[in-house]
Amino acid sequence: MMGLVSGRRRATSTASSRSSGDASDQVEDDTLVVEPDQGNVLSHIISQLRPGADLSRVVLPTFILEPRSMLERITNFMCHPEMLLPIPTVDDPVERFLGVVKFYLSGWHIRPPGVKKPLNPILGEIFTCYWDFPDGTRGYYISEQTSHHPPKSSYFYMVPGHNIRVDGTLKPRSKFLGNSAASMMEGTAILTLLNRGKDPKKGERYILTQPNMYARGILFGKMKYELGDHSYVRCPETGLIADIEFKTKGWVSGTYNAIGGTVKNEHTGEVLYEISGLWSEEMFIKDLKTGQKEMFFNALRAKHSPPISRPLEEQEDRESQKLWAKTAQAVKDRNHELATDEKTKIEEAQREEAAVRANEGVEWHPKLFRRVKGGPGGPEEGEEDLEWIINAHIDATTPEKQAAQIMAIYPIVKGQRLEHKIVIPPRTSLSDQAARPPTSPGKDGDNLINLKDEKPSSAPVTSPETKPAGPKPALDSAHESTTEIQAMLAATGTRAKEGPLIDFHKDMKKGLPRSNTDDSHDDDDFVDARG
């Protein structure tokens, strides 16, 4: 087993005004030193790489893996509820916007030491969790891997009682850049304040994008983690936009983890605020009208709130923590050979599933998410970049009923059980899908889970497809409708003659007549039992 020098070298904060003798003013510098005996692993990487290569196709050494899935890592952005929960109560739109920007910047300091890459979720992988807040409320998170090539992670977060909802899709696209690797973090998140905005049905929306991530020194030298490039927080209704640049260190100048940015009113063109500092330490905001500069967020003093997930024994096989349990434990134990073996087993099973679907001509669909109905005039206009959204209505009028609707989608809290396998929608034959007429938005064909005012229970509500069909009632010969149908048949048809329906000896000589009817049963659904 290969040794590893932990990337937990400390660096003294240059931005902090506290004494250098205070141990708490020192932070991780995200540096990982690769030992010489790991050179054979790095040589293995080199043999697979070409400039511009897609890293999702490359087998990476397990010592740079984080022992959790990307679906779980996304929760870093929800781990400072103290920044988020007060925002809907703020009346001033500019102050509300600044609150959203602060919440957005608060999650970047939450990361493992060194350079770590989360496990790539497999298609259909699911992760759920929740947070209990001091005021007695609770936040819920549901995510699913909605695509594998290219990778897309869709997620839903909501806090009933605080009028907060987040819908997002993360689309990381990896590139090899010589001695660096880049994760281009495409995708978007929409944070909605349900009690604000001109349209009560839509609320006040904030659109958030992400910076790109870079791992420096992956082939030789010290490995270093950086965030880089521009990201945006935008509120279309108020016209406010924050352009935040995550600055990478230059060859001879600059510093690590620096940010700079502005808050601007797009309706007037006026720049209102400037943002500066280090995303891993202290960030400042300057009011350009008054010239006053103050602390915006202090990551050195902030304590995040990790989510709570159900015990492994309660999870399904395709839930992140149970799925990757053996791999994650091997990574924690630094048993890189075992970690590679366990990871390979999961990846091979995924390839076999894809081959079966391809051979049977069936298309995979997410279980918990559906396509966004965007476009001009659509019910989800403006949310097109999400691509996928939670497949349920969360529209109850009380926090308790909203919580029940959320928990009915999939088990989230301890003690919930999934008594029936969810198949929403079924895996459908590609030929059948092309032949079936399209359904209109809002019709039953959408396979939307109806969760209106459901009460919480230990067994989540599943789709109608999962309910076993009962025996069909016997025909009542004395019933009025039965006699009417029999009379209709007698009037429009003739009784069959005695003997066989077809004389094969005669008919085979003159050829069977062709029928214009199509008995191909285009409405039959093919279900991939392996999914």
Side-chain angles (χ1 to χ4, degrees), residues 4 20 29 49 84 97 118 137 144 158 162 178 253-254 298 305 347 349 423 434 439 450 459 478 512 516:
L4 180 65
S20 60
D29 73 349
L49 297 182
L84 178 64
F97 183 82
T137 59
E144 181 177 6
M158 190 167 177
H162 284 278
S253 63
N298 188 347
S305 304
E347 293 167 344
V423 282
T439 56
N450 182 8
L512 288 171
N516 292 325

Side-chain angles (χ1 to χ4, degrees), residues 69-354:
S69 168
M70 174 63 85
L71 294 180
E72 186 173 356
R73 190 178 192 181
I74 292 173
T75 62
N76 286 358
F77 303 112
M78 294 85 173
C79 284
H80 276 294
E82 73 279 5
M83 301 292 165
L84 178 64
L85 301 187
I87 295 175
T89 65
V90 178
D91 292 327
D92 182 77
V94 176
E95 291 299 319
R96 275 201 310 275
F97 183 82
L98 293 179
V100 173
V101 174
K102 182 187 294 187
F103 166 71
Y104 169 78
L105 291 173
S106 69
W108 297 109
H109 74 100
I110 306 170
R111 66 208 186 279
V115 179
K116 299 294 181 182
K117 180 184 183 298
L119 296 163
N120 291 328
I122 67 170
L123 193 63
E125 181 179 325
I126 291 171
F127 177 73
T128 67
C129 62
Y130 64 98
W131 291 259
D132 282 330
F133 304 133
D135 64 356
T137 59
R138 177 175 282 176
Y140 302 90
Y141 173 85
I142 299 173
S143 60
E144 181 177 6
Q145 190 71 5
T146 47
S147 175
H148 185 66
H149 287 300
K152 297 177 184 178
S153 304
S154 299
Y155 56 95
F156 163 83
Y157 172 81
M158 190 167 177
V159 188
H162 284 278
N163 298 296
I164 293 168
R165 172 171 174 163
V166 178
D167 298 276
T169 298
L170 186 63
K171 310 170 191 177
R173 182 170 52 86
S174 301
K175 291 290 183 181
F176 170 62
L177 306 171
N179 195 33
S180 299
S183 289
M184 319 306 288
M185 305 302 286
E186 298 176 359
T188 187
I190 298 178
L191 188 158
T192 305
L193 304 182
L194 301 172
N195 65 328
R196 299 288 177 178
K198 297 176 182 178
D199 187 346
K201 293 183 179 180
K202 293 186 176 181
E204 188 173 76
R205 295 175 178 172
Y206 297 80
I207 301 171
L208 301 85
T209 64
Q210 295 196 40
N212 298 320
M213 300 181 181
Y214 297 91
R216 311 295 190 188
I218 62 170
L219 301 182
F220 52 85
K222 296 178 180 179
M223 296 182 70
K224 177 69 181 178
Y225 169 84
E226 283 193 285
L227 298 177
D229 310 314
H230 288 259
S231 64
Y232 299 90
V233 178
R234 183 167 62 89
C235 180
E237 187 169 315
T238 62
L240 295 171
I241 181 171
D243 178 356
I244 302 169
E245 181 184 7
F246 289 77
K247 302 177 181 181
T248 57
K249 187 180 183 302
W251 287 101
V252 294
S253 63
T255 185
Y256 287 113
N257 303 347
I259 64 165
T262 59
V263 175
K264 179 181 179 180
N265 187 325
E266 289 187 305
H267 293 166
T268 64
E270 181 183 8
V271 179
L272 306 176
Y273 295 90
E274 285 182 351
I275 298 173
S276 60
L278 304 177
W279 56 260
S280 58
E281 301 184 22
E282 295 177 342
M283 288 172 274
F284 301 89
I285 188 166
K286 181 180 180 180
D287 188 332
L288 296 183
K289 285 185 177 180
T290 64
Q292 182 178 357
K293 183 178 180 180
E294 60 183 32
M295 179 76 69
F296 195 42
F297 179 75
N298 188 347
L300 297 171
R301 295 184 179 274
K303 183 179 179 181
H304 69 279
S305 304
I308 307 167
S309 55
R310 293 164 25 251
L312 286 184
E313 58 268 21
E314 294 186 12
Q315 296 184 22
E316 295 292 303
D317 291 340
R318 225 173 179 88
E319 292 187 55
S320 296
Q321 291 182 342
K322 186 171 183 178
L323 175 71
W324 297 105
K326 294 181 180 178
T327 305
Q329 188 58 52
V331 170
K332 293 175 183 177
D333 295 340
R334 299 183 183 177
N335 188 338
H336 306 307
E337 183 177 353
L338 178 60
T340 300
D341 290 343
E342 294 296 337
K343 180 170 174 283
T344 301
K345 289 178 185 177
I346 295 172
E347 293 167 344
E348 287 295 335
Q350 182 177 220
R351 280 188 278 270
E352 290 175 5
E353 290 178 0

